[in-house]
Amino acid sequence: MPQWLSLWRREAVPTLLLAGPLVVAQLLQVGMGFIDTVMAGRINAEVLAAVGLGSSLWNLMLLACIGATLAISPLVAHLNGAGDEQAIAGEFQQGLWVAILVGLVAVPLTYGLAAALPLLNVDPEIAPLAGDYLRVSAWGMPGLCLYLAPRYLNEGLSNTKPAMLVQSLLLPLNVLGNYLFMFGDFGITPMGASGAALSTAIGLWLGALMMFAYLWRGKRFRPLALFQNFAGPRPKEIWRILKLGLPIAVAIIMEVGMFSAVAIMMGSLGKVEMAAHQIALNYAAMMFMLPLSISQAITIRVGHAAGAGDLRLAIVRGQQGVVMAGGIMALSATMLLLFPELIVALYTNDAAVANMAMSLLFAAALFQFSDGLQVSASGALRGLKDTAVPMFITMFAYWVVGFPFAWYIGIQLAVGPQGLWGGLAVGLTTAAVLLNLRFYLLGRKKIATAAGKVTDPVGDV
């Protein structure tokens, strides 16, 4: 057997073992959005569309918070790979201050999104309900960030099970919360879309409490002394983490912002189109959790190898993860093409919404493979602490290429929802090509730099 193939086989199992719990955790988390969507669809099309639009915009803030705090994972992975356990507590404590700062800033920004809805030409029946959804869900943002800091600490230590355990507890609580607050029972007034937001916000705070309880009681964390001699905020350390994390947040915002902008344009076409868009997007988001989980595992594995000084192994781990993610999303595209009726039937029995949603699922099949390649390449680059260049790549791919194409084809040429989704496919494909090219070139230069052949480390660009 060739040496490279033997190495790939040996490295595949640890990556999959790391990714497995992350897949479950991510699917459970997105399952909460799936449940919100299904339960909203049982009320009426207006509530379904409002939850769809509100959650799309709220996800923009949620993923920005994830991006800003995600730097904790590769930073801890590098320290863990280098065997520097004494520095991990300090990294976590400053990461926690970053999480608090980001969570507090996210609240007024989410309110701002709600205030901007009347300016976005959204259907007047949908806009007020979506605004209420955003205002209620905003108060879950600090809880989200307090959950993310200990989660990414664990993942940097190659421990991906806590997120799975917490999400498995939160999912049934979300169902109960939706039932109580959306439909009303036990004397509670039915709240519709706002009820779904309230249930989500409560769940985020509960998730934070569970994660800190896990850290506090876990025997494996005692040698790290995470909460002993707890340091106050140190601006230089906070800025160092944000300098790595903010480009991740911007890159995520670029992608999710494109999807949110398309959702807004879809909302201007009518409530049937918006409801169909939400169905197709929710399914695509669920499948995206698979390559996203692999991407997070890649960040950990690449960061650990890079911290240990084995750059060749780091590059192999990144390449392997990209192949895995691309293969999984190729299977997802096949599912969309073969079984669109079964997928749509899970969401709605409205014939008009169902027919439109099936046409969008065919469009979604076009970008599944590209989505897997771009997110896995991003994860590999984060493992190398390379976040600035990927940020500019995503800006170009999504806002110079993808969004203008969606607007021109979908709105100006009046192709409609299918044209808007075609723009998503073009943007994601452009990002996939450029991010993988960046990882290839960066890997070659870093290995050459480590070997003393060049003096200009590209990773600092």
Side-chain angles (χ1 to χ4, degrees):
M1 180 184 296
Q3 185 177 1
W4 68 268
L5 182 57
S6 176
L7 178 60
W8 272 50
R9 289 183 60 180
R10 187 174 73 245
E11 291 297 321
V13 173
T15 299
L16 290 174
L17 289 176
L18 271 180
L22 290 172
V23 169
V24 176
Q26 298 290 359
L27 288 175
L28 288 170
Q29 186 171 359
V30 175
M32 295 172 68
F34 170 78
I35 289 169
D36 289 351
T37 302
V38 170
M39 296 181 78
R42 296 299 181 265
I43 300 177
N44 55 49
E46 287 79 9
V47 172
L48 174 59
V51 169
L53 178 58
S55 62
S56 292
L57 294 173
W58 182 74
N59 281 335
L60 184 66
M61 292 304 307
L62 179 145
L63 291 171
C65 292
I66 288 175
T69 54
L70 188 56
I72 297 170
S73 178
L75 288 170
V76 171
H78 273 253
L79 292 174
N80 191 33
D84 190 1
E85 290 190 351
Q86 292 183 344
I88 291 176
E91 198 76 74
F92 168 67
Q93 291 169 10
Q94 296 308 306
L96 190 56
W97 285 114
V98 169
I100 292 170
L101 174 64
V102 172
L104 292 176
V105 170
V107 174
L109 290 179
T110 308
Y111 264 73
L113 289 175
L117 280 174
L119 307 176
L120 300 178
N121 195 30
V122 178
D123 188 312
E125 293 183 41
I126 299 172
L129 298 177
D132 290 341
Y133 180 98
L134 286 167
R135 282 184 284 271
V136 173
S137 63
W139 296 102
M141 288 300 185
L144 167 71
C145 293
L146 288 174
Y147 158 81
L148 290 173
R151 169 179 171 169
Y152 291 141
L153 166 72
N154 274 281
E155 292 177 7
L157 296 171
S158 300
N159 181 25
T160 56
K161 293 180 180 178
M164 177 183 69
L165 296 174
V166 170
Q167 291 300 327
S168 67
L169 294 173
L170 291 180
L171 184 65
L173 292 175
N174 183 61
V175 175
L176 176 62
N178 280 353
Y179 172 74
L180 292 176
F181 301 127
M182 292 179 71
F183 298 95
D185 206 343
F186 298 100
I188 298 174
T189 302
M191 298 172 63
S194 297
L198 179 58
S199 179
T200 297
I202 292 173
L204 292 171
W205 280 101
L206 289 175
L209 291 174
M210 292 177 191
M211 194 63 79
F212 274 95
Y214 180 84
L215 288 187
W216 186 262
R217 297 185 61 85
K219 293 181 179 179
R220 65 179 299 170
F221 302 107
R222 290 174 186 171
L224 300 179
L226 295 174
F227 299 103
Q228 293 180 17
N229 301 317
F230 198 92
R234 296 171 177 166
K236 288 185 178 180
E237 292 297 303
I238 289 174
W239 172 242
R240 181 178 58 83
I241 297 172
L242 287 175
K243 189 176 179 181
L244 185 63
L246 288 178
I248 301 174
V250 172
I252 292 174
I253 289 172
M254 292 298 102
E255 179 180 358
V256 180
M258 178 179 68
F259 278 86
S260 298
V262 167
I264 291 168
M265 289 192 291
M266 197 74 72
S268 69
L269 298 178
K271 61 186 179 183
V272 170
E273 289 80 0
M274 186 61 211
H277 171 79
Q278 172 60 15
I279 289 171
L281 185 61
N282 185 261
Y283 177 82
M286 287 183 65
M287 296 308 299
F288 178 69
M289 294 303 105
L290 299 174
L292 177 61
S293 301
I294 291 175
S295 172
Q296 292 169 333
I298 296 169
T299 298
I300 299 165
R301 299 277 289 155
V302 171
H304 191 275
D310 194 340
L311 289 171
R312 289 189 182 276
L313 180 59
I315 301 307
V316 167
R317 288 176 174 178
Q319 293 170 340
Q320 185 184 67
V322 170
V323 172
M324 287 181 183
I328 286 173
M329 293 308 272
L331 292 175
S332 173
T334 303
M335 292 284 292
L336 286 172
L337 294 173
L338 293 179
F339 307 110
E341 296 90 350
L342 293 177
I343 294 170
V344 172
L346 295 173
Y347 291 89
T348 185
N349 52 15
D350 186 308
V353 174
N355 288 333
M356 179 64 69
M358 280 190 286
S359 71
L360 295 183
L361 286 179
F362 281 112
L366 297 176
F367 65 68
Q368 295 289 287
F369 183 66
S370 296
D371 215 5
L373 294 182
Q374 67 85 17
V375 72
S376 54
S378 295
L381 289 166
R382 284 196 295 270
L384 296 176
K385 296 185 180 179
D386 182 53
T387 60
V389 173
M391 175 185 69
F392 290 110
I393 288 174
T394 55
M395 286 181 180
F396 173 78
Y398 301 136
W399 289 97
V400 177
V401 179
F403 178 74
F405 186 93
W407 171 79
Y408 183 72
I409 300 297
I411 304 299
Q412 292 299 109
L413 297 185
V415 173
Q418 295 83 357
L420 294 178
W421 275 62
L424 297 177
V426 170
L428 290 168
T429 301
T430 303
V433 172
L434 295 179
L435 287 170
N436 277 278
L437 180 62
R438 169 66 178 173
F439 181 65
Y440 171 75
L441 295 175
L442 178 61
R444 288 186 61 183
K445 284 248 184 152
K446 276 189 170 289
I447 290 172
T449 300
K453 294 180 181 178
V454 295
T455 57
D456 178 24
V458 175
D460 295 334
V461 173

